[in-house]
Every structure is written in structure tokens, then in C-alpha cells.
Amino acid sequence: LERKLAADTTLDHVGVTVSGRTKETYSLWRKLESDRAARREDLVSEVFGSDAPAPLVDDEKLFAARDLDEVPDVVAVRVVLDVPRASDQETPEAWRERGVQLCYHVLGAVQHLEDCEAVPRVKDYIAFPKPNGYQSLHASVLREPEDQVVEIQIRTRGMHEVAEYGMAAHWLYKDGLLEPGGE
């Protein structure tokens, strides 16, 4: 991914940081529990009808424990784009919009990686931000040689600052007081 983005001429004047991580234990546990709740809901709906009150069901007997091998995206890669201002005349709004367009451009590159198959699931938190202001694109690819799903998060430096440090960082970017990667 890093080589492909470095060779992409659309990103010539953009700083691209690619970093990888494995998900934290708590995040993995939440995924397992969320999946367990969804499976329980599906089963109760199928057996008792969607309008029936949920009966007391012993989860341990109904659902065998899943292990981490069944969590699809234990590995995550983050792509952060440091988009410089095109000129002193570029407005903060135009600068941010250009950053958003570049995020979608990188998404297209991710979905066409060699030895990877795009998983038909993209979470678009740029077009539909979370209530706390979080913005990012989340895409998944299946690495065919390892048969492993990898989640890829794509965001600008401003979006990354909000994700890591909260809305106070957002206001600095919104007002154009903080440059990408700035302190």
C-alpha cells in the first residue's frame, strides 16, 4: 500500500503516513460481544417472531465461544494524509474539501491493491460523521495469500487530530489556525 501510494502522482505534494496495528483487547472483545448479541437477536426473531418478547436464553448453551481467529479484521492499517495548502489564497473550506477528495482517491487505490480483494463494506464517516465529530473512511480488504481481512482507515491530518485529541483540535483546523501536521 505504501509503495502504491508513493507512486501515485495525484499524491505528489501530499504527505502520506501509513501505519499498522493490531486491535486492542477491549476492541476485539466488543466485536465478539456485538456479534454474539446479533446472533442471539437473529435466533430469537427466527424462533419466536420479531414481535415476541425475548425469552430468557442461556447464551453459553446457545452460542459456542468464538475465538479471535473468527474476528475478521484484527489487523488495521491507517493512512493519514498531510494535505498542504495549494496557496495562500486557498480558503480553509477549499483546503478541507481537497483533503476529502484525496481520501476518496486513496480509497479507490486501496480497493485495487494487488493480491487483495476488496470486501464489499465501506464505512463512510466522512460523509456521515459520528456525533463526536469523528471522520474517516474504513474499508476492508482480504489479503489473499494469508486469507486475512485487514481494515484500512483513511483520513486527513485534521481528521486524525480530531480522532486522537477531540473537537478542540477541530476548531483550530476549521479556523485555519493549524496547518497539517502542525503543533
Side-chain angles (χ1 to χ4, degrees), residues 85-98:
R85 289 259 171 92
S87 70
D88 290 341
Q89 287 76 37
E90 184 177 38
T91 66
E93 294 80 19
W95 173 51
R96 281 191 304 278
E97 180 59 32
R98 200 162 43 85

Side-chain angles (χ1 to χ4, degrees), residues 10-17 79-87 90-104 106 154-159 173 178-182:
T10 302
L11 301 173
D12 274 350
H13 300 290
V14 176
V16 178
T17 304
V79 178
V80 179
L81 304 176
D82 289 305
V83 181
R85 289 259 171 92
S87 70
E90 184 177 38
T91 66
E93 294 80 19
W95 173 51
R96 281 191 304 278
E97 180 59 32
R98 200 162 43 85
V100 167
Q101 291 171 358
L102 288 169
C103 286
Y104 288 105
V106 170
I154 305 161
R155 58 178 79 145
T156 65
R157 176 64 58 188
M159 294 171 194
Y173 280 94
L178 187 62
E179 292 293 320

Side-chain angles (χ1 to χ4, degrees), residues 9 13 30 77-78 107 119:
T9 58
H13 300 290
R30 281 188 23 217
V77 173
R78 182 173 295 146
L107 174 63
V119 175

Side-chain angles (χ1 to χ4, degrees), residues 2-178:
E2 209 165 15
R3 282 191 306 271
K4 182 171 185 156
L5 296 178
D8 188 331
T9 58
T10 302
L11 301 173
D12 274 350
H13 300 290
V14 176
V16 178
T17 304
V18 178
S19 59
R21 66 181 174 85
T22 53
K23 292 198 175 177
E24 298 292 325
T25 306
Y26 178 69
S27 176
L28 295 172
W29 175 81
R30 281 188 23 217
K31 275 188 174 277
L32 289 170
E33 287 301 303
S34 170
D35 184 58
R36 173 178 284 208
R39 287 187 293 155
R40 182 180 191 280
E41 189 175 294
D42 288 346
L43 180 66
V44 168
S45 177
E46 183 179 313
V47 173
F48 299 100
S50 59
D51 295 333
L56 295 175
V57 178
D58 183 356
D59 282 350
E60 295 305 317
K61 288 181 182 172
L62 280 178
F63 306 109
R66 294 182 62 192
D67 63 25
L68 292 179
D69 290 337
E70 296 180 51
V71 176
D73 52 356
V74 172
V75 177
V77 173
R78 182 173 295 146
V79 178
V80 179
L81 304 176
D82 289 305
V83 181
R85 289 259 171 92
S87 70
D88 290 341
Q89 287 76 37
E90 184 177 38
T91 66
E93 294 80 19
W95 173 51
R96 281 191 304 278
E97 180 59 32
R98 200 162 43 85
V100 167
Q101 291 171 358
L102 288 169
C103 286
Y104 288 105
H105 175 78
V106 170
L107 174 63
V110 162
Q111 292 178 327
H112 294 93
L113 285 171
E114 191 174 319
D115 293 330
C116 291
E117 179 184 327
V119 175
R121 181 193 73 167
V122 174
K123 294 180 184 175
D124 188 345
Y125 297 115
I126 294 177
F128 304 98
K130 289 187 175 185
N132 65 0
Y134 178 85
Q135 290 185 296
S136 188
L137 293 173
H138 293 201
S140 296
V141 295
L142 174 65
R143 288 198 34 87
E144 292 172 347
E146 295 88 6
D147 196 34
Q148 178 183 33
V149 176
V150 177
E151 179 185 73
I152 301 173
Q153 300 174 355
I154 305 161
R155 58 178 79 145
T156 65
R157 176 64 58 188
M159 294 171 194
H160 181 68
E161 296 294 326
V162 171
E164 296 294 314
Y165 307 113
M167 287 303 287
H170 169 70
W171 295 114
L172 293 173
Y173 280 94
K174 183 174 175 16
D175 294 340
L177 301 174
L178 187 62

